[in-house]
Amino acid sequence: MTEEDEEDGKEQPFEFIPGSGHYHAIVGTDPSDIGAEMQIAEALSLECDEPVYSIERANDPWAVTAWRNGVRDILDDRDPDSLAESLGCPLPESERSSDSPVRKPLRKVALVEGVRAQEAPRVLEEAGDPFPPGHYRFEDTPQGLRISSETGDIGFADITLSERLPNATAYGVIASPSLDMFVVNVLRGGDCIGQFTHPPDDFPPFLVVSDIKGERSPERILAALGIPAEWFQNE
């Protein structure tokens, strides 16, 4: 936080929660700050002897990832609550509520350039993707490979494909039904090389880009990526 923001009385975008052992939690308080937990965990894992865990709340169920020396390992069999309890740092009650406004409305769709629909399932399977066959909907479009699911959760498929295929560029779109919360992560080599957020994030976790495909509004960005806005409506 800048000194100016602190003088204006603005609240920190996270809460530090001491644990009972040697694990502690950093909990984001801004629901639009998507992706920060992974960036923080990756950076801290380079300085810690033990793994650092991140919980991505944009997914339902929440996705748990372990980081060791900057390398991620998706823990598809770990429940966030039980993991936090075992580390002596239980999650706040408000975070565990199934009615939490942070976790309920967000859905994720991706467009991946440089890969075809027939190739993607094999790549994800080889990477140990946690979702069963049939979970994803793969569609070849003029813009690239579109990845969605009936649940609105595609996990880390966009990150994995960009990581495993050197020529792939992925656009992971996370949005609320009305698009009032809208994030696009541009991925290459498994890393986020640029992030577009609407509204703009006061504390961006990644390099900020002002447009996607030359477009600056959520509706026009989705049109440029060939992703129907209706897919972000909750069923």
Side-chain angles (χ1 to χ4, degrees):
M1 177 176 288
T2 65
E3 291 183 4
E4 187 177 66
D5 286 341
E6 192 170 359
E7 291 173 358
D8 290 341
K10 290 187 177 180
E11 295 184 359
Q12 293 279 3
F14 61 85
E15 178 184 2
F16 181 78
I17 303 176
S20 60
H22 53 275
Y23 267 91
H24 311 287
I26 300 172
V27 180
T29 57
D30 184 352
S32 66
D33 196 10
I34 298 170
E37 69 284 339
M38 289 192 288
Q39 186 188 42
I40 292 172
E42 180 181 8
L44 289 178
S45 73
L46 298 173
E47 307 295 332
C48 300
D49 294 330
E50 297 190 35
V52 179
Y53 300 92
S54 65
I55 300 174
E56 186 183 12
R57 296 174 294 171
N59 285 324
D60 191 3
W62 294 351
V64 180
T65 304
W67 299 83
R68 288 180 174 86
N69 297 319
V71 179
R72 66 186 179 94
D73 179 20
I74 300 173
L75 306 179
D76 57 284
D77 59 342
R78 292 306 301 267
D79 172 70
D81 286 314
S82 61
L83 172 64
E85 291 280 357
S86 70
L87 297 176
C89 191
L91 298 176
E93 288 294 333
S94 60
E95 289 295 298
R96 293 202 294 265
S97 171
S98 60
D99 295 327
S100 170
V102 173
R103 71 181 288 190
K104 190 174 181 181
L106 300 181
R107 296 170 72 87
K108 183 176 180 180
V109 179
L111 178 83
V112 186
E113 300 171 337
V115 61
R116 304 290 292 178
Q118 63 182 15
E119 182 182 11
R122 175 185 58 79
V123 175
L124 293 174
E125 183 179 358
E126 291 176 352
D129 186 82
F131 289 115
H135 174 84
Y136 299 107
R137 180 179 181 182
F138 299 106
E139 298 175 277
D140 288 321
T141 74
Q143 293 87 353
L145 173 64
R146 189 165 56 203
I147 306 175
S148 61
S149 76
E150 293 295 329
T151 66
D153 178 16
I154 62 169
F156 297 102
D158 52 338
I159 300 176
T160 300
L161 291 174
S162 73
E163 183 178 58
R164 297 245 165 180
L165 301 170
N167 295 324
T169 299
Y171 298 85
V173 183
I174 303 170
S176 60
S178 61
L179 305 183
D180 58 336
M181 185 183 298
F182 185 84
V183 178
V184 182
N185 292 316
V186 186
L187 304 155
R188 287 199 194 113
D191 295 323
C192 183
I193 62 171
Q195 185 181 72
F196 176 93
T197 61
H198 173 82
D201 193 342
D202 291 334
F203 301 92
F206 301 109
L207 175 68
V208 175
V209 294
S210 59
D211 68 86
I212 298 293
K213 302 286 188 181
E215 303 293 351
R216 298 173 183 269
S217 72
E219 293 81 4
R220 293 185 65 86
I221 288 173
L222 289 177
L225 295 176
I227 298 174
E230 300 79 44
W231 286 5
F232 294 97
Q233 299 292 327
N234 285 313
E235 298 179 356

